[in-house]
Amino acid sequence: MLGDAPGDYNAASANGILFYPIIPNDEENSWKEFHDRIIDLFKRGIYGGEEMKKQIERFDKALPDTPPWISG
C-alpha cells in the first residue's frame, strides 16, 4: 500500500500489508524513488524489513507535531 498519511500506515499495519509512504512536502522525490527503486523491490517480493522501516522512520520525521489545520 502507498499512502501519505498516518492513517494510511495504520490501515496497512492493521491488515498486515507492506507500506511505502509518500513524504509530505517531498512528494515528487517520494514518487521518483518509488518509480526508480522501490517498485522493483515490491515486484521481487523483497520490500519490507529494514527498507520499509527506514522509509517509515523518514515519514515519521517529516510529519509535523501538530497538523496544519489545527491552530494552537
Side-chain angles (χ1 to χ4, degrees), residues 38-46:
I38 302 294
I39 196 167
D40 184 56
L41 301 178
F42 267 99
K43 288 178 181 178
R44 292 171 41 208
I46 59 173

Side-chain angles (χ1 to χ4, degrees), residues 19-65:
F19 180 74
Y20 175 78
I22 303 302
I23 308 297
N25 298 315
D26 197 24
E27 292 87 354
E28 187 173 334
N29 287 326
S30 294
W31 283 109
K32 182 173 178 5
E33 181 179 26
F34 183 75
H35 176 269
D36 293 349
R37 192 172 70 82
I38 302 294
I39 196 167
D40 184 56
L41 301 178
F42 267 99
K43 288 178 181 178
R44 292 171 41 208
I46 59 173
Y47 179 78
E50 287 301 312
E51 180 64 38
M52 188 169 84
K53 181 180 175 185
K54 180 181 95 175
Q55 296 296 335
I56 292 168
E57 286 173 357
R58 204 172 111 220
F59 178 61
D60 286 340
K61 287 179 186 175
L63 296 173
D65 291 332

